[in-house]
Amino acid sequence: MLELKYIRENADEVRTAIAGRKDSAPLDDILALDAERRDKLALLEEKRRARKEIARTAQNEASDAGRLLRDAIKSLEERLRDIDSKLGELLLQVPNIPQPSVPHGTSEEDNIIARSWGEPKRLSFPAKPHWELGESLDIIDFERGVKLSGTRFYVLKGLGAKLQRAIIALMLDLHTNVAGYTEVYLPYLVRREVMVASGNLPKFADNLYREDVGDMWFVPTAEVPLTGLHAGEILPPGSLPLRYAAYTACFRREKMSAGKDTRGIKRGHQFDKVELYKIVEPEHSNDELEAMVADVERVLQQLELPYRLKALCTADLGFASSKTYDLEVWAPGCNEWLEVSSCSNCLDFQARRAAIRYRPAEGAKTEYVHTLNGSGLALPRIMIAILENYQLHDGTIFVPTALQPFMGMSVIS
């Protein structure tokens, strides 16, 4: 979250940022409550001093005045508790401030393609979409997925399940053995305060699944428990940066428009993802963002999938992000670019919500860390890209060279 003092002293900047994001955060309510809070605090201190003065005189005629002051102090303290509670709720609704380097825009159409790698594949035969390939090879079962859980669910079977497992294994190996991330296995259910710390609550409550009895929430991404991993901690000198990689299932209430993305596995309520997460010193966070993007690109290059890198504009940034890059791969069967990763620098936005600080040196004052997150990568869109880019004329799938050691074969047939 943003610091209240920062909002007060930079109200115009925050207002412009909120408008640029197409957000409706209650800035005016926050400023009004903040002003009332400061007035009430000044009045409270004045009445406390007056009460101490009366207590010091110990005169009988002062007893009535003392009682009146005591009642006034109690009333002010109750009002201040109400204000602090309301301010806490409202501050959670304010998005992060975009960095100056983020392109200004009014929609995703204003995102900028920063660079690309490889050329979109042109097949010598009509490209089939992944849902046709998956069904004909008997590696994706849509009918039984719906039978089990309803729309937007599917079953991977046989070599389809093995392919997904191979992709996850390759990604984790690259991120840990080459890029130096520490692999962690995380719970898929977290407490409410962990959701709040990451920025998912209260903003995205309607898109999340929860278990009502214990107020536990299913993770929409490993970013959530990774943010909570060091919540409330002061990290010692020399402990940063921390770099984590985690595989989890992810659960989201996808709200699709009628007739849009209704075929295949592009959008679902449950999917798998390998997430990258960094906790770093503030002065290094943007360099760490560029390094994270390079780590994601390494995977795509290993899979030999053409991709492009987009710098997101102000209107398309995520709630907690100050700067984001998206990576998209070409899918010839769907005939579209598919987003497979978003890499974001959240600055100290999540760290303030989660109370994650560090001490730069022994005896130094603590500071908030910066946090970064990125998909490294998200399935099932990588599955789509592999099936559609590596399809052969007879409907079989060539297994990318990097995946063959994990699959034990070169063709899915």
Side-chain angles (χ1 to χ4, degrees):
M1 75 171 75
L2 300 182
E3 184 185 17
L4 180 58
K5 180 183 177 184
Y6 180 89
I7 293 175
R8 180 193 313 133
E9 295 177 353
N10 302 274
D12 290 342
E13 177 192 350
V14 175
R15 193 183 306 279
T16 299
I18 291 172
R21 282 174 163 273
K22 305 296 183 184
D23 202 288
S24 57
L27 180 61
D28 289 335
D29 292 342
I30 290 171
L31 293 172
L33 279 174
D34 177 49
E36 183 185 352
R37 179 178 182 273
R38 285 181 289 135
D39 288 344
K40 291 287 192 291
L41 278 172
L43 185 58
L44 179 61
E45 289 305 310
E46 178 185 323
K47 292 190 178 300
R48 282 173 174 168
R49 284 193 298 269
R51 188 182 178 193
K52 286 180 181 178
E53 183 63 29
I54 289 176
R56 205 163 31 242
T57 63
Q59 296 175 353
N60 289 334
E61 62 267 25
S63 59
D64 288 341
R67 280 193 292 272
L68 289 172
L69 281 170
R70 184 174 64 248
D71 292 342
I73 288 170
K74 182 180 178 182
S75 177
L76 283 169
E77 288 173 339
E78 289 176 353
R79 176 56 185 158
L80 280 167
R81 281 194 293 270
D82 290 342
I83 291 174
D84 286 342
S85 176
K86 185 61 176 176
L87 269 175
E89 294 174 6
L90 296 180
L91 286 169
L92 292 176
Q93 300 176 39
V94 181
N96 206 348
I97 304 294
Q99 294 189 39
S101 59
V102 173
H104 180 76
T106 58
S107 74
E108 63 181 19
E109 301 300 322
D110 295 315
N111 295 339
I112 294 174
I113 298 176
R115 61 175 176 269
S116 60
W117 184 88
E119 291 293 329
K121 185 170 288 187
R122 300 284 183 254
L123 302 177
S124 60
F125 53 89
K128 292 181 180 180
H130 66 279
W131 55 85
E132 291 184 15
L133 294 164
E135 288 186 323
S136 65
L137 291 169
D138 196 28
I139 60 175
I140 307 177
D141 192 329
F142 295 101
E143 183 178 340
R144 286 186 173 86
V146 172
K147 173 182 169 182
L148 289 171
S149 305
T151 58
R152 297 296 173 185
F153 289 91
Y154 56 90
V155 173
L156 294 178
K157 57 187 293 192
L159 295 180
K162 188 173 185 178
L163 176 61
Q164 175 160 284
R165 178 159 50 89
I167 298 168
I168 293 168
L170 171 67
M171 293 191 294
L172 286 172
D173 280 1
L174 286 173
H175 295 319
T176 57
N177 297 339
V178 178
Y181 291 81
T182 299
E183 182 179 352
V184 290
Y185 177 76
L186 301 160
Y188 293 0
L189 281 165
V190 297
R191 302 176 188 274
R192 171 182 287 270
E193 56 264 32
V194 180
M195 281 289 190
V196 172
S198 65
N200 281 268
L201 284 178
K203 179 73 172 178
F204 303 109
D206 291 344
N207 295 96
L208 302 171
Y209 285 99
R210 64 178 290 195
E211 180 274 308
D212 292 330
V213 176
D215 197 21
M216 299 288 283
W217 298 72
F218 288 87
V219 299
T221 164
E223 173 195 343
V224 173
L226 286 168
T227 301
L229 208 58
H230 293 283
E233 296 182 19
I234 297 175
L235 303 172
S239 60
L240 300 181
L242 295 173
R243 301 185 179 101
Y244 294 118
Y247 155 74
T248 65
C250 305
F251 306 89
R252 301 179 188 177
R253 295 183 188 275
E254 287 281 3
K255 297 178 180 178
M256 280 70 68
S257 302
K260 183 180 179 182
D261 301 331
T262 56
R263 302 291 301 274
I265 62 176
K266 178 182 173 183
R267 287 187 182 276
H269 301 291
Q270 173 188 318
F271 63 97
D272 287 7
K273 181 155 67 83
V274 171
E275 183 77 358
L276 303 179
Y277 197 87
K278 295 184 179 185
I279 299 176
V280 305
E281 293 177 299
E283 59 267 29
H284 301 309
S285 63
N286 275 327
D287 289 338
E288 290 283 359
L289 176 61
E290 300 296 330
M292 179 180 282
V293 170
D295 295 333
V296 175
E297 290 182 279
R298 182 184 296 109
V299 177
L300 293 173
Q301 291 172 13
Q302 285 281 311
L303 293 171
E304 300 180 76
L305 291 172
Y307 65 85
R308 64 187 187 185
L309 178 73
K310 280 186 172 180
L312 298 195
C313 71
T314 51
D316 206 26
L317 286 181
F319 179 76
S321 175
S322 74
K323 184 175 185 177
T324 297
Y325 292 109
D326 275 3
L327 290 105
E328 300 177 332
V329 295
W330 177 249
C334 297
N335 193 38
E336 64 177 318
W337 290 94
L338 300 176
E339 177 201 323
V340 294
S341 177
S342 281
C343 295
S344 301
N345 184 354
C346 296
L347 302 178
D348 62 0
F349 187 84
Q350 291 178 323
R352 287 182 179 277
R353 295 169 78 111
I356 311 172
R357 294 174 290 165
Y358 79 107
R359 204 176 297 279
E362 292 294 343
K365 182 181 177 182
T366 62
E367 300 178 26
Y368 284 104
V369 300
H370 282 191
T371 63
L372 303 94
N373 64 82
S375 312
L377 299 153
L379 295 130
R381 293 183 183 184
I382 285 297
M383 288 275 288
I384 295 174
I386 289 173
L387 294 176
E388 295 188 4
N389 278 285
Y390 283 96
Q391 61 180 297
L392 303 174
H393 69 280
D394 61 357
T396 61
I397 309 296
F398 180 77
V399 177
T401 303
L403 291 175
Q404 290 180 15
F406 299 92
M407 290 290 291
M409 62 187 67
S410 60
V411 176
I412 296 174
S413 60

